[in-house]
Amino acid sequence: MPTPALPLPPPAHEAPLPPARAGAGGVRVLSGVPYAALPGARPLELDLYLPAGGGPAPVVVFLHGGGWRLGSRHAVGPMYRDAVPTPFEQVALAGIAVASVDYRLSGEAAWPAQLHDAKAAVRWLRSRATELGVDADRVASWGESAGGHLAELLGLVTDPALEGEVGATGPSSAVAAVAAWYAPSDIGAVATDIGNDPADPTSRESQLIGAPVSAAADLAAQASPITHVSPAAPPVLLLHGRADRFVATAQSQRLHAALAAAGTDVELHTYDDADHMWLGAPDAATDALDRTITFLRHHLIDEGDRA
């Protein structure tokens, strides 16, 4: 006698949306929304911060830091821990929805799983745009540290081989603008830029690609945003502290130079006394968030209003 089929839930990316809770200033927050699932792995989830009011809102995908090893979608960084409204609410209050995304960490899966997950989040937003009240034509990426690296890749990677098949497939994973804070942009040089050993298998970037970067130059290059620079890149905002001890300012300077040479609309701003995560520089943390909101509004709202 055949085993009866069990009633299975819909795929995670098609699951019903959870009820919204109230955030600051009428922002609506949907927490723990599954955007994809993989057999034998934890669900991939995001938190969505939706502006008050009607009409489809532009949306930015936020990717957290933590060296691809730690972190979660719940936090932007320690300098914003006590911020009221939260950084995500501040962006939503400026008229831009935020999808703060969890992705597989390097202890769960090696590169390019992290990019596949980020692309899946963008595709999910587009596949559910009408239901969510977001504008599928106005999607940006934003991230800090390791998440900034992924945000840059969302804007720069056009290789179909790096698209992945996680979650909803079909919609584009392209973004219209990128904001990256203190991001590793040249994986093969992260260690040497700060005087560390590129052959160290325990470095964060080695754990990301699954091999010491000095022994896997091709893989390190594939995982580097600077490799994927082209004239097709969207506008990019790069913010970095000059006192950063973990990701050298040279990483953003090098990417800025490559993007400018390709004709990209790119801006780099550095902060003299800011360490990684804006530590030691609360004014830099405030300015970075303000600059990011202004940049996102310019490219997602103001330019659309002028069109």
Side-chain angles (χ1 to χ4, degrees), residues 59-82:
V59 58
V60 61
V61 172
F62 177 81
L63 297 140
H64 67 79
W68 309 281
R69 191 79 181 168
L70 304 167
S72 82
R73 67 184 189 272
H74 301 300
V76 178
M79 297 300 288
Y80 304 96
R81 186 172 291 129
D82 298 322

Side-chain angles (χ1 to χ4, degrees), residues 109-155:
W111 165 267
Q114 296 72 25
L115 179 58
H116 289 172
D117 295 350
K119 284 179 168 287
V122 176
R123 294 195 303 266
W124 180 84
L125 287 167
R126 286 199 164 102
S127 72
R128 307 283 291 268
T130 300
E131 182 182 6
L132 295 169
V134 301
D135 188 339
D137 294 327
R138 293 185 291 166
V139 183
S141 60
W142 164 36
E144 54 111 11
S145 196
H149 161 263
L150 296 174
E152 291 172 355
L153 288 168
L154 279 177

Side-chain angles (χ1 to χ4, degrees), residues 260-274:
T264 300
D265 178 358
V266 58
E267 175 188 351
L268 169 64
H269 186 80
T270 59
Y271 300 91
D272 286 341
D273 300 318

Side-chain angles (χ1 to χ4, degrees), residues 22-28 50-53 84-85 89-90 92-94:
V27 171
R28 292 172 295 125
L50 295 165
V84 179
E89 289 172 333
Q90 290 182 49
L93 288 168

